[in-house]
Amino acid sequence: HRVTRAGTAIALSPTEYKLLHYLLVNNGRVLTRMQILDHVWAYDFDGDSSIVDTYISYLRRKVDAAEPKLIHTVRGVGFALRVDP
């Protein structure tokens, strides 16, 4: 798998790629932490849902280094990938 933004290649771990792919497939839709956990980490993951916040942070550092910012937090709900006007 290969990810680029503004012509620059972005190196992602397999989990970061899976998370980004899930956000892209659901472009514009707000996804809850549980939805992300179920899809990216599978149903048998016994860890804390804060892992989602950690990986969103990793992605932001890599993907949102260029403008416009794409990954947005919807307080109390979850995360969305979208371009705000």
Side-chain angles (χ1 to χ4, degrees), residues 59-79:
L59 272 183
R60 281 186 171 136
R61 278 189 233 136
K62 295 177 180 184
V63 174
D64 280 350
E67 292 290 334
K69 302 299 183 200
L70 301 176
I71 302 169
H72 301 274
T73 300
V74 179
R75 291 213 183 274
V77 182
F79 302 95

Side-chain angles (χ1 to χ4, degrees), residues 19-82:
L19 175 56
L20 180 60
H21 182 265
Y22 188 56
L23 291 169
L24 284 166
V25 168
N26 291 284
N27 185 24
R29 186 171 161 223
V30 178
L31 301 169
T32 67
R33 282 171 181 79
M34 290 311 295
Q35 287 173 308
I36 294 170
L37 271 176
D38 286 347
H39 185 80
V40 176
W41 281 271
Y43 296 98
D44 59 352
F45 179 76
D46 288 333
D48 189 334
S49 68
S50 67
I51 189 101
V52 174
D53 298 283
T54 301
Y55 273 83
I56 288 287
S57 175
Y58 295 160
L59 272 183
R60 281 186 171 136
R61 278 189 233 136
K62 295 177 180 184
V63 174
D64 280 350
E67 292 290 334
K69 302 299 183 200
L70 301 176
I71 302 169
H72 301 274
T73 300
V74 179
R75 291 213 183 274
V77 182
F79 302 95
L81 185 113
R82 67 175 182 262

